[in-house]
Structures are given as C-alpha cells and as structure tokens.
Amino acid sequence: MTFNARHAALIIPALALASCADEPAELPYGTAQQFMADEVQPTTEIFWQSVGSVSELVDGEPVFREWQPETDEEWEEVRLAAVRIGEFGEVLASPAYADGRGDDWLDYSQGLQDVAVLAEEAALSRDPEQVFAVSGTIYAVCTACHQMYPPADLPEGVTVEDIANSVNRPSSEESLEEYMGGTGE
Ligand code: HEC
C-alpha cells in the first residue's frame, strides 16, 4: 500500500481539531490520569520490578527466589526508567499540569525529580539493595501526592488508601509497613 499524501492532508487537520475539542491541547500527555496510567505507572514498574524476592512453596518446600538485572542492557533499562521518572516530575511541575493545584503539587513534583537522581545513582551502582531501597522512597513520593490529590470521583467504597495500595511495588504480598520498614531481611 502506498502512502496517499492527499488523504493525509485531509486527515491530519481533522485529528488536530478533534483532539482540541476533547481536551486542552496544552496537556502534552493527556489528562493527569492518562499520563499516570500510560506513562508514569508502566515506567516506574520497570524500576520497581527490576529487583525483588519471593518465597513460594514448591512441592510443599519453601523456596526463596531473588532476581535482579544481570546484563548491561538490563541495568541500562533500569537507569533509563529512573531518568524518565525525573522527566515525569518536570512534566508534572509544568504549568499544563500544575496550574490550579496548590504549592504542595510542585513539592511532590520536585520530590519525584529528586528521588529520580537517587534512582539513577542506584542503577549505576548496580547494587540491588540500593535499587530496592530507592524503590520504597519513590513509592512514598507517589503516595504522598495521591493522598493530597486523589482521583476526582472515587467509586463508592474505595478509599484513597486503596488507591495508594493498588500502585504496584516489589513483593506486593508485603504490607506497606513491612515494605517501607526494611530492605528485605
Ligand atoms: C504531583 C502529584 C503526583 C505524583 C508525584 C504522582 N501522581 Fe499518580 N496521580 C496523580 C493524580 C492527580 C492522579 C489522579 C488523576 C485523576 O484521576 O484525575 C494520579 C493517579 C495515578 C494512578 C491511577 C491512574 C488511573 O488509571 O486512574 C496511578 C496508577 C498513578 N497515579 C501512579 C503514580 C506513580 C507510580 C507515581 C510515582 C512514580 C505517581 N503516580 C506520582 C498525581 C500524582
């Protein structure tokens, strides 16, 4: 199939008009909710899930399994996720997302940029304990903002706490207190 330039000329302005009508054009990643769901959560999961451990019963015997990045490529993927988390902090601090929010919004956005620096250092150090520890700090920054800025319409019976706990973290069988309390001893 060949690309039809005349059709494209008709379609592109139509798309631009449609997106103008649906949401403010200045939001580069869509609404805050879309940005969280499409960009922030998946990228942060790359970081969170890069190291972890689990105990499972295999034939009735408890088996402890740990994982961490092994190859240069895998560590680079973790580092790039950290860099992107910092960029998300900048996006959230931009007027498109910060206008109409309190000053604390900028603090949380800055918090994400600050923790991203630590996250990149941890990836560069290739120390799984450090990656795990920074994961907890990232989680705390995410949760702090969500507690102040919960989704506009919470479904009946759903609390802000539920939302905070629904954000994935390594070893999600652990309670939040256990998770935040240590680096996995
Ligand atoms: C500066 C504030 C802020 C920070 C920091 C923040 N979020 Fe959010 N997040 C929001 C807001 C606001 C919503 C609710 C959007 C809505 O529903 O209107 C949200 C919603 C979400 C959602 C639900 C999306 C959906 O489908 O409804 C997820 C998942 C999420 N955030 C993940 C994260 C993760 C992971 C981090 C940390 C890396 C993070 N957020 C950091 C403000 C923030």
Side-chain angles (χ1 to χ4, degrees):
M1 203 176 90
T2 55
F3 180 68
N4 184 323
R6 233 177 326 158
H7 276 166
L10 289 174
I11 289 165
I12 290 166
L15 283 177
L17 279 178
S19 64
C20 279
D22 285 339
E23 64 201 30
E26 69 268 21
L27 292 176
Y29 295 95
T31 63
Q33 185 187 10
Q34 287 164 340
F35 179 47
M36 291 290 150
D38 298 346
E39 306 285 337
V40 179
Q41 176 73 19
T43 300
T44 310
E45 270 177 34
I46 293 173
F47 193 90
W48 277 335
Q49 291 171 7
S50 65
V51 304
S53 59
V54 69
S55 300
E56 15 184 44
L57 282 182
V58 177
D59 297 332
E61 294 293 318
V63 173
F64 184 68
R65 193 167 64 81
E66 284 182 296
W67 64 91
Q68 65 167 86
E70 302 290 350
T71 64
D72 288 354
E73 289 73 22
E74 284 168 359
W75 277 112
E76 179 63 2
E77 200 189 349
V78 178
R79 190 189 69 81
L80 288 175
V83 170
R84 293 214 64 209
I85 290 169
E87 291 167 0
F88 297 150
E90 289 175 35
V91 170
L92 288 168
S94 69
Y97 292 95
D99 277 359
R101 316 273 189 180
D103 290 345
D104 55 349
W105 179 274
L106 293 177
D107 294 338
Y108 299 130
S109 306
Q110 184 62 48
L112 212 50
Q113 295 174 56
D114 293 345
V115 78
V117 173
L118 301 179
E120 186 179 8
E121 281 171 14
L124 287 170
S125 78
R126 302 196 172 193
D127 177 354
E129 291 292 325
Q130 209 176 321
V131 171
F132 191 77
V134 177
S135 290
T137 315
I138 295 174
Y139 181 71
V141 174
C142 308
T143 303
C145 193
H146 294 156
Q147 272 165 356
M148 293 310 291
Y149 296 94
D153 331 285
L154 289 181
E156 204 175 329
V158 174
T159 65
V160 172
E161 190 97 308
D162 295 333
I163 306 262
N165 285 324
S166 74
V167 177
N168 285 334
R169 54 186 181 274
S171 306
S172 43
E173 313 87 64
E174 284 177 312
S175 72
L176 180 58
E177 287 69 31
E178 284 166 346
Y179 173 61
M180 297 301 292
T183 50
E185 56 281 295

